[in-house]
Amino acid sequence: MTSRREPRLADAAEIAAEQGLSPARISMLYNDRATNGFPEIAGKRGRARLWDHAEVTAWFANRQGARLREHKPPKRNPEDLLNAAEASRFLGYKNPNQVTTYVRDHPGYFPDPDVVEELGTAENPYRRQLWRVQTLLDWMATRPGRGKRADAQRTAPALPDVPVDGDPDELLGATQAAALLGFKSLNSFSSSLSQGNLPLLETADALTEKGGRRRWTRRRILEQAAQRSPKR
């Protein structure tokens, strides 16, 4: 028998941080759930209310989608470079950290940066990621979840054939991991990863030099695949 994974629970503070809101705002949305459809709580930790993280994320995505469909980005030179916060605002997100969240938590969902600047000092290095305006406009036109995305999804490239018996220590990206795990698309893999359904992949084995994309060894991916397989 296959055991059902318990949903990931999140409190108001965690949800607020992800959505660029205050915990008080989350409570207000919950109190007005009769009119806005905000999810019911799934449990409590002490006096703190807990929600199913996946349900709340989906609610915000649907709510945000309607507003974003009406958003018209400001006119900019297509070659202008924008950092993550600027790109978030350009795309119409209220949360200035939205692009950073996409890059960090949804591998393959958002385009790689066009330019990566290595800054700071040897003791305290950091990198700044920049996207061209045209890159952002192209992504907006085919953004997953948009109403006009259906045709694009039907023509999306198939996941590659990835050999199971390759070098177990070879580093593989999100597209290859999705294929080995049996997902039908990169988006479904990214969604499952962000919801905590792939615990062995929450920590990456390496990051790419450009964009900091996560990479995992074939061994780790196959271990995760074994855990996902139904037990007979």
Side-chain angles (χ1 to χ4, degrees):
M1 180 180 295
T2 303
S3 60
R4 180 182 176 84
R5 178 179 294 280
E6 292 296 323
R8 174 188 169 192
L9 301 182
D11 60 19
E14 181 180 353
I15 295 168
E18 288 185 357
Q19 301 299 331
L21 302 172
S22 67
R25 178 60 177 160
I26 301 302
S27 295
M28 290 175 61
L29 290 170
Y30 172 70
N31 292 336
D32 197 31
R33 63 191 180 281
T35 57
N36 63 25
F38 196 81
E40 292 287 349
I41 61 172
K44 284 193 173 183
R45 183 187 299 125
R47 298 178 62 183
R49 290 177 293 207
L50 301 175
W51 287 269
D52 183 318
H53 182 268
E55 288 185 2
V56 174
T57 299
W59 184 86
F60 274 105
N62 291 333
R63 182 171 181 257
Q64 179 173 258
R67 179 175 57 79
L68 291 178
R69 281 192 289 273
E70 304 300 323
H71 173 70
K72 294 183 179 180
K75 291 185 178 181
R76 297 286 301 261
N77 185 323
E79 294 302 312
D80 282 353
L81 290 169
L82 306 181
N83 63 28
E86 293 168 336
S88 296
R89 290 191 290 269
F90 179 82
L91 293 168
Y93 295 109
K94 292 183 177 181
N95 180 4
N97 296 318
Q98 188 63 64
V99 166
T100 298
T101 299
Y102 282 154
V103 172
R104 183 189 65 226
D105 298 336
H106 300 267
Y109 178 79
F110 199 73
D112 286 330
D114 295 294
V115 175
V116 178
E117 297 178 342
E118 301 293 343
L119 303 171
T121 64
E123 294 76 21
N124 186 29
Y126 70 95
R127 59 178 54 191
R128 181 168 63 178
Q129 301 179 108
L130 302 167
W131 288 263
R132 289 190 175 86
V133 166
Q134 188 61 56
T135 299
L136 301 175
L137 292 173
D138 291 344
W139 182 77
M140 281 188 70
T142 57
R143 176 167 46 206
R146 297 297 295 271
K148 298 179 180 179
R149 182 64 179 170
D151 290 339
Q153 285 180 330
R154 283 195 290 269
T155 60
L159 294 175
D161 290 328
V162 182
V164 175
D165 56 355
D167 180 358
D169 293 318
E170 181 183 1
L171 292 169
L172 304 177
T175 302
Q176 296 161 306
L180 279 178
L181 289 166
F183 285 96
K184 294 182 178 180
S185 69
L186 180 58
N187 284 338
S188 59
F189 164 78
S190 298
S191 176
S192 186
L193 181 62
S194 67
Q195 292 176 31
N197 296 328
L198 304 173
L200 295 184
L201 304 187
E202 289 182 359
T203 300
D205 294 300
L207 300 175
T208 61
E209 292 185 5
K210 178 183 178 182
R213 298 284 181 170
R214 287 177 283 188
R215 296 291 182 265
W216 303 270
T217 62
R218 181 181 273 101
R219 177 185 292 107
R220 185 190 294 267
I221 296 169
L222 291 177
E223 288 174 354
Q224 183 63 82
Q227 284 194 7
R228 294 185 73 239
S229 299
K231 296 180 180 179
R232 298 182 183 278

